[in-house]
Amino acid sequence: MKILVVGGGMGGTILANNLARRLSGEIKAGKASITMLSASDKHMYQPGLLYVAVGKMMPDELYRDQVSLLESCITFRVDPVTKFNLKENNVLTESGKQYDYDIIVISTGSRAHAEGTPGLAENASQFYTEADAVKMFSSLQKFEGGKVVIAVGVPHKCPMAPLEITFMLADYFKERGIWDKVQLHYTYPIGRVHSLEPVAKWAQPEFDRLGITYETLFNMKEVQPGKIISEEGTEEDYDLLITVPAHKGMQVIEDNELGAGGFIPTNRTRLNIEGYENAFVIGDTTNLPISKAGSTAHFEAEALAENIASTIKIGQPVRDYDGKVFCFIEAGEGRATYAMFNYQNPPDPKAPTKGIHWFKTAYNKMYWASARGLL
Amino acid sequence: MSERKIVDAKNTFCPGPLMELIGQMKMAEIGDELEILSTDQGSAADIPEWINKVGHEMVETSENDGVWHIVVKKIK
């Protein structure tokens, strides 16, 4: 049984490690194999970019060698897939090789796509790549006061990022002693300050307390130097524009016409590609209407690994993915909270505490144990 | 002829039905109709509010067994 994992981010890594342990007997007996194909030999802890953007982490803290995170029985190759032949059960790669499989899991992730909004890439700071996060920190360091606008595209990776960067910016400007010279103005696509109603109900009074102004039903249409225009017909002047850009799936998914915007139509409980019983999708690559977050990829990977292993051992899957998501929320002033929910149960976030902030800070290091499938 | 696309946002809390619709509308062609399925009663008010503010067209809204079916048309 040849299992092929395409993508070495959080979802693919947890899945491959989890599966390697569940199938250790079959792998030793030569009855199963796991191969991972990735675009990089490095694994990045993506949530750390938020901290790099405000000078709280250094980029080199975010990386580990991918091979160091994988069980030794997993074959790892840096050889990105260029062609998915799902009907023939094989993929072709950049190096020209063909990899045949019995089961494939696609976990190629998503990317910020500022270029999709006219003028955004040229005029805004963002933090979704190492280079962009470092550049954003440089922009902040040069900023001496004025109006800072936060603008949010849809869909985006990490649903808490818009709120977190706002509270972290407030802390940053306070620490620099220029908070009284800054007007922080938050915008959001729907009619409240966050998609989760309980989170919005908590965040709005926090904004009021801190003097952060906000505008809802604001979707970016076009950005000009010093001015951002919304689809809804409003405009905001800015001195510094910070954005959470709309995201797309990876180009290879679009090139292979596997899904609009690079997001693959996926069964919400079994995680298979619609129409295929041996092809699965996890993480940001799915088109599921749930959060694009590391925790989503994590919980999907655990459910899918269990089902792939059980299918090999007893011929059938044993459980559904229940839509579980867990997101920390950095709330500023050394506090944090979290939201946890699934398809059936809405979130009920508690008041932020310093304890949860310290747990989140610890998790920034403990992540590597998660990726190895140990946490 | 433009086709009607179903956006199944039942039993989801984040990003939620309106955010899903906004993302899908960006990818749609002018003239396309999208039918969003939602179990969130608030969608019946939130989605028309946004559609009207942006200037797209509300086609129809109905509720069946706790699922809201909201059909919109991309105009611009």
Side-chain angles (χ1 to χ4, degrees):
Chain A
M1 182 68 68
K2 293 179 182 172
I3 300 162
L4 183 64
V5 181
V6 181
M10 186 171 198
T13 304
I14 289 175
L15 176 114
N17 282 328
N18 192 311
L19 210 45
R21 293 192 190 103
R22 290 179 185 278
L23 296 176
S24 61
E26 288 82 356
I27 292 170
K28 280 178 190 161
K31 294 178 181 171
S33 67
I34 303 171
T35 300
M36 173 180 283
L37 301 175
S38 179
S40 172
D41 65 344
K42 302 293 183 195
H43 185 114
M44 176 195 267
Y45 174 56
Q46 296 181 49
L49 290 168
L50 190 64
Y51 299 84
V52 172
V54 293
K56 298 289 187 188
M57 284 181 87
M58 291 294 106
D60 60 2
E61 295 177 70
L62 308 184
Y63 295 96
R64 295 286 187 278
D65 290 335
Q66 176 66 16
V67 76
S68 75
L69 302 174
L70 295 175
E71 291 287 327
S72 58
C73 62
I74 297 167
T75 302
F76 175 68
R77 298 282 180 267
V78 179
D79 196 3
V81 171
T82 55
K83 179 72 178 166
F84 290 89
N85 296 315
L86 297 181
K87 287 179 182 166
E88 289 79 37
N89 292 341
N90 68 60
V91 302
L92 305 180
T93 63
E94 204 168 84
S95 71
K97 290 196 176 92
Q98 175 176 317
Y99 289 82
D100 298 326
Y101 62 80
D102 298 299
I103 293 171
I104 187 171
V105 180
I106 304 174
S107 55
T108 44
S110 67
R111 62 202 157 106
H113 186 61
E115 297 76 12
T117 304
L120 185 63
E122 301 88 325
N123 291 294
S125 293
Q126 55 173 309
F127 50 87
Y128 280 93
T129 67
E130 178 191 328
D132 284 332
V134 171
K135 198 172 160 189
M136 177 171 156
F137 181 63
S138 298
S139 298
L140 291 175
Q141 290 289 86
K142 290 174 194 156
F143 189 67
E144 294 300 333
K147 184 174 178 181
V148 181
V149 171
I150 292 131
V152 180
V154 179
H156 58 260
K157 184 163 16 193
C158 187
M160 302 306 170
L163 286 178
E164 289 187 300
I165 193 62
T166 303
F167 290 125
M168 290 167 85
L169 284 172
D171 280 356
Y172 169 85
F173 291 125
K174 284 179 194 173
E175 286 170 14
R176 276 192 54 201
I178 61 169
W179 182 231
D180 59 337
K181 296 176 184 159
V182 174
Q183 181 198 350
L184 209 47
H185 186 74
Y186 175 93
T187 69
Y188 201 68
I190 65 170
R192 55 182 182 250
V193 299
H194 193 263
S195 58
L196 290 170
E197 193 170 6
V199 174
K201 281 184 176 168
W202 158 76
Q204 190 167 321
E206 288 286 303
F207 282 176
D208 292 336
R209 181 176 66 81
L210 292 164
I212 298 169
T213 55
Y214 44 87
E215 179 176 350
T216 56
L217 291 175
F218 188 99
N219 286 278
M220 291 181 274
K221 179 182 181 184
E222 180 187 348
V223 180
Q224 299 170 4
K227 184 166 74 174
I228 180 166
I229 302 161
S230 77
E231 296 275 1
E232 290 79 5
T234 56
E235 296 182 2
E236 282 295 333
D237 293 335
Y238 66 83
D239 298 300
L240 181 64
L241 180 62
I242 307 291
T243 188
V244 173
H247 280 56
K248 294 183 86 173
M250 291 311 195
Q251 190 64 47
V252 67
I253 304 299
E254 288 192 87
D255 292 345
N256 280 267
E257 299 181 345
L258 293 179
F263 302 116
I264 303 175
T266 306
N267 182 283
R268 63 165 61 193
T269 55
R270 288 295 158 87
L271 302 172
N272 58 297
I273 298 178
E274 299 291 358
Y276 294 88
E277 294 300 317
N278 68 333
F280 300 90
V281 194
I282 53 175
D284 292 358
T285 317
T286 78
N287 75 335
L288 297 178
I290 56 176
S291 307
K292 296 201 177 300
S295 71
T296 309
H298 182 151
F299 297 126
E300 288 172 343
E302 288 185 342
L304 182 57
E306 197 171 343
N307 281 344
I308 290 175
S310 69
T311 300
I312 290 170
K313 290 172 188 287
I314 63 171
Q316 57 192 307
V318 288
R319 72 171 168 119
D320 289 342
Y321 170 62
D322 64 358
K324 185 178 177 184
V325 179
F326 177 102
C327 292
F328 284 108
I329 311 170
E330 285 284 14
E333 300 173 338
R335 305 164 306 145
T337 182
Y338 65 89
M340 185 166 66
F341 48 97
N342 61 22
Y343 290 141
Q344 300 301 329
N345 300 294
D348 181 22
K350 309 301 181 198
T353 66
K354 290 185 184 297
I356 297 174
H357 167 70
W358 284 113
F359 185 76
K360 165 63 175 169
T361 306
Y363 184 78
N364 287 340
K365 305 294 182 189
M366 291 153 61
Y367 168 76
W368 304 109
S370 274
R372 290 183 176 98
L374 303 174
L375 184 66
Chain B
M1 182 179 170
S2 297
E3 60 182 47
R4 179 180 288 185
K5 182 179 178 187
I6 305 290
V7 180
D8 185 356
K10 299 192 301 291
N11 298 314
T12 61
F13 302 104
C14 184
L18 179 51
M19 292 274 264
E20 278 301 320
L21 178 63
I22 292 170
Q24 295 292 333
M25 285 291 264
K26 280 186 185 171
M27 290 191 283
E29 302 289 334
I30 291 172
D32 284 355
E33 286 188 357
L34 277 71
E35 179 174 353
I36 187 149
L37 312 183
S38 171
T39 45
D40 173 19
Q41 190 173 353
S43 299
D46 294 347
I47 290 175
E49 181 188 5
W50 181 72
I51 288 292
N52 291 330
K53 191 164 185 180
V54 173
H56 296 306
E57 181 183 323
M58 282 296 304
V59 177
E60 60 187 39
T61 302
S62 60
E63 188 261 334
N64 187 15
D65 285 339
V67 178
W68 290 87
H69 297 250
I70 302 165
V71 183
V72 304
K73 185 174 185 179
K74 182 165 178 167
I75 295 297
K76 60 182 189 179

